[in-house]
Amino acid sequence: MSTRSTANIALLIACACWGLSFPLERALFLDQLHDVPGASTWCLSAWSLCLRFALAAGLLLFWCRRELGRPTRSECRQGLVLGVLTAAGMLLQMDALMHATASTVAFLSQCYAVWIPLVLAVRDRRWPSVRVGVLSGVALLSGVSPKSGAIGRGELESLIGSLVFTAQILVAERRRYVANRVVLVAVIAFAVAAVSYVPLVCATAPSGHALIALYADPARLGALAVLASVTTCLGLLLMFRWQRHVGAVTAAVIYSTEPIYAALFAALLPAGLSALFGVTYVAEPLTVTLLLGGGLIIGANLLMYWHPRLPSLSQELTQQPVRAG
């Protein structure tokens, strides 16, 4: 296979890894809230992500310890930026799982396509009809109605997180970083993300004993291991390694498949997860609203990137002249 084909397959695998995280994390949170009711959703999210990224960084260091050397300034810069963006986006996404269904959060987290038409609409003072499909899909999934005029906390956090992920996608493939060693950048990014959560954990944790209790059960430790190794380490490493071979535009289209995996996992896995954790996690049905809203978002995303008269913001940014350093 060509490098581009391999990259496409690798990114699809990454999307499947990320899709698994939504129902698994939600089931984990339901179990933890039952045993530690005093813990806030911010504490649960930050502590889970702190451990996930710390474990992911440790796994990469162990697997690639003979290949890693001293990082360059460019690798440190890219790892620092990716770490901060990943930490912010993932925190919003994980906290959103406390207030919205896993499938809805997964779909709305991919709405970086929403921000692109808004920027272009302001710049060009026009509103192409294809962009209405994206906004309509967001409205259907988030529960917006003419009467309420508002969306829930989980949906809002997902939308803000999608803006952060937009920046992450662009930074991951900038040509100024093409010579960077991907594994070393990933280790730095994971470590930065883990450290970023420490202040929030300290500020929101009921006690040190509560933090230990959140992962005192073997099932929770197993879930944490899967989240750290598969959804965090493998998923993000595939993204950092292969996205540069397809570009931000094609990558955005591929990443739109993540909510499809999440919706399927959220429909198939809750029964098994309920038995594993001893909680009541009802399977999320593939409703008409979910399928229609998600289809509009993905369809509008595809049309936007394939329509010759609708250049994407990411394409314009990645075509800017490369600056030294």
Side-chain angles (χ1 to χ4, degrees):
M1 291 189 297
S2 65
T3 300
R4 187 177 182 85
S5 298
T6 303
N8 290 337
I9 294 175
L11 294 182
L12 285 172
I13 295 174
C15 290
C17 294
W18 298 333
L20 175 63
S21 70
F22 290 92
L24 184 57
E25 192 75 72
R26 183 169 176 81
L28 178 62
F29 285 161
L30 289 174
D31 185 28
Q32 291 174 330
L33 284 173
H34 180 269
D35 282 1
V36 190
S40 67
T41 58
W42 287 116
C43 175
L44 294 180
S45 301
W47 185 227
S48 173
L49 290 168
C50 180
L51 294 177
R52 280 173 59 178
F53 281 105
L55 287 174
L59 285 173
L60 278 184
L61 283 174
F62 177 76
W63 289 338
C64 308
R65 58 188 181 278
R66 296 181 180 179
E67 303 175 10
L68 299 179
R70 185 174 181 178
T72 65
R73 178 180 297 181
S74 177
E75 290 167 342
C76 290
R77 183 188 300 114
Q78 187 186 24
L80 175 62
V81 175
L82 284 175
V84 172
L85 292 174
T86 302
M90 291 293 292
L91 179 63
L92 290 167
Q93 187 180 79
M94 290 301 100
D95 191 72
L97 285 171
M98 306 284 193
H99 309 282
T101 62
S103 51
T104 297
V105 173
F107 273 110
L108 294 180
S109 295
Q110 305 305 307
C111 286
Y112 34 74
V114 173
W115 310 113
I116 293 173
L118 289 178
V119 172
L120 294 179
V122 172
R123 189 196 68 181
D124 301 335
R125 297 182 181 180
R126 59 187 175 88
W127 192 263
S129 59
V130 68
R131 297 164 189 176
V132 178
V134 182
L135 298 178
S136 299
V138 174
L140 280 172
L141 286 173
S142 60
V144 174
S145 67
K147 295 182 180 179
S148 65
I151 61 177
R153 172 176 170 177
E155 291 83 358
L156 180 60
E157 288 178 335
S158 300
L159 290 174
I160 298 174
S162 71
L163 179 59
V164 179
F165 290 136
T166 300
Q168 181 201 47
I169 290 172
L170 295 175
V171 172
E173 72 146 50
R174 290 192 65 180
R175 288 183 293 172
R176 65 185 300 181
Y177 299 133
V178 69
N180 288 354
R181 290 165 291 178
V182 176
V183 174
L184 191 53
V185 170
V187 170
I188 296 172
F190 293 166
V192 169
V195 172
S196 300
Y197 296 121
V198 173
L200 183 58
V201 171
C202 295
T204 58
S207 64
H209 176 73
L211 293 179
I212 298 175
L214 287 174
Y215 289 95
D217 185 81
R220 298 176 192 170
L221 289 176
L224 180 64
V226 173
L227 288 168
S229 61
V230 178
T231 67
T232 302
C233 188
L234 178 58
L236 288 175
L237 187 60
L238 287 172
M239 174 190 177
F240 296 162
R241 168 65 178 85
W242 292 103
Q243 184 187 296
R244 66 182 65 181
H245 296 289
V246 300
V249 175
T250 302
V253 176
I254 296 175
Y255 295 154
S256 294
T257 63
E258 178 187 344
I260 299 177
Y261 291 113
L264 291 175
F265 287 137
L268 299 175
L269 297 183
L273 293 174
S274 296
L276 176 65
F277 291 106
V279 298
T280 302
Y281 182 7
V282 180
E284 300 174 15
L286 300 175
T287 62
V288 175
T289 299
L290 179 65
L291 294 174
L292 181 58
L296 283 171
I297 291 176
I298 294 175
N301 200 345
L302 292 172
L303 287 174
M304 185 184 307
Y305 292 134
W306 289 345
H307 198 292
R309 295 183 180 180
L310 293 177
S312 70
L313 179 60
S314 57
Q315 186 177 37
E316 294 176 0
L317 290 177
T318 53
Q319 289 177 349
Q320 295 298 318
V322 181
R323 296 182 180 178

